[in-house]
Amino acid sequence: ATPFDPLQEHPAGIPGRLTKQQCGASMPVDAPAYPRPPYAYRDAELVVFEYVTDADAAAALLPASLELTDEPTVELTFARYPWSTLGPYNELIVALLCTHGGQPYKHAVVLYVDSDTALVSGRELAGFPKKLARITIEPGAVYGCRLERPAGITLCTGVFEAAAPVPFPLPSTRQFTSLRALPDPENPGAFSLAELVQTDWIIEAGEVFVGSGSCHLTGVSALDPLHLLPIRRPLLSMLMRCRMTVAGTGRILERY
């Protein structure tokens, strides 16, 4: 019998046929992890807690081209998405209210999701600093919200009871900024790209309720130090029930 010759079975010199034009919407390029934007959301519920925090702590987490509002304010949002084109998932958003060139924004400090599709799409497209976690949002007469990471270690809780609907202009746009930073493969610990990206979340229809609510940061984790934006004074608590679209394209505000 003729001996097996790997060079004969796999001759050299055959070029690959995959080109940039053939790549899918995301990686892996032959089986994308998420579809092309925009992304539609139906029956979304967002429980929002605003509070005044420490100015020095907030400034330490804000890119230098942004400015805090006069009263350094955190918007902490537990979001429940029972249906979206990224699939169903829950989310916690920690954002600082700020301005860029006089325009108001919400700067995303950290986000947690319980879906890998939501994780990679948000990080790759817009630079949303997302991590995986267990997020529980129990709707009812009183909403109960909880973030755990890892499971069993509670980092943040929130409760909300609706009191009255309030007028809300529709459509309405929630404009976020996020720092899209890509690690440098040739220089570990450094970034080869850092961009401040604007993303628009468009509330198309829905209703808003104000009420009584509070959130609590447990401070139990040095790996997820949400408590570094401490609650100095509670402000607004509200519930948004809405139909929403996250716009298909972002806008690069700054390149660092």
Side-chain angles (χ1 to χ4, degrees), residues 26-229:
S26 62
M27 296 184 292
V29 295
D30 65 326
Y34 53 88
R36 296 184 188 277
Y39 302 120
Y41 293 78
R42 299 291 182 266
D43 301 319
E45 294 182 296
L46 287 74
V47 185
V48 181
F49 305 97
E50 286 189 2
Y51 65 86
V52 176
T53 192
D54 181 79
D56 288 338
L61 296 171
L62 194 71
S65 56
L66 300 176
E67 294 183 0
L68 291 170
T69 53
D70 291 339
E71 232 179 7
T73 301
V74 173
E75 186 181 85
L76 188 150
T77 303
F78 281 94
R80 176 176 172 266
Y81 307 126
W83 187 94
S84 83
T85 48
L86 292 172
Y89 66 98
N90 293 333
E91 183 167 48
L92 174 72
I93 306 161
V94 180
L96 286 166
L97 302 191
C98 63
T99 61
H100 179 274
Q103 175 74 23
Y105 289 100
K106 307 172 191 295
H107 180 71
V109 175
V110 64
L111 291 82
Y112 296 88
V113 293
D114 55 10
S115 156
D116 59 350
T117 301
L119 174 84
V120 295
S121 61
R123 287 176 69 104
E124 292 181 4
L125 285 172
F128 281 112
K130 294 189 176 187
K131 293 182 173 182
L132 287 173
R134 175 183 286 179
I135 304 165
T136 306
I137 302 171
E138 295 291 344
V142 176
Y143 277 69
C145 310
R146 181 183 301 272
L147 170 73
E148 300 173 36
R149 189 174 190 271
I153 304 298
T154 300
L155 304 182
C156 175
T157 60
V159 293
F160 175 80
E161 182 177 30
V166 294
F168 190 72
L170 293 171
S172 177
T173 301
R174 292 162 59 86
Q175 292 189 315
F176 283 88
T177 62
S178 48
L179 187 59
R180 183 171 178 260
L182 301 182
D184 186 346
E186 296 183 337
N187 187 13
F191 291 99
S192 58
L193 175 68
E195 299 171 331
L196 186 68
V197 179
Q198 171 191 324
T199 306
D200 293 347
W201 298 22
I202 304 166
I203 310 297
E204 299 163 343
E207 53 190 349
V208 174
F209 297 86
V210 295
S212 300
S214 64
C215 59
H216 174 64
L217 309 175
T218 65
V220 300
S221 175
L223 303 180
D224 293 278
L226 300 183
H227 59 283
L228 293 185
L229 288 173

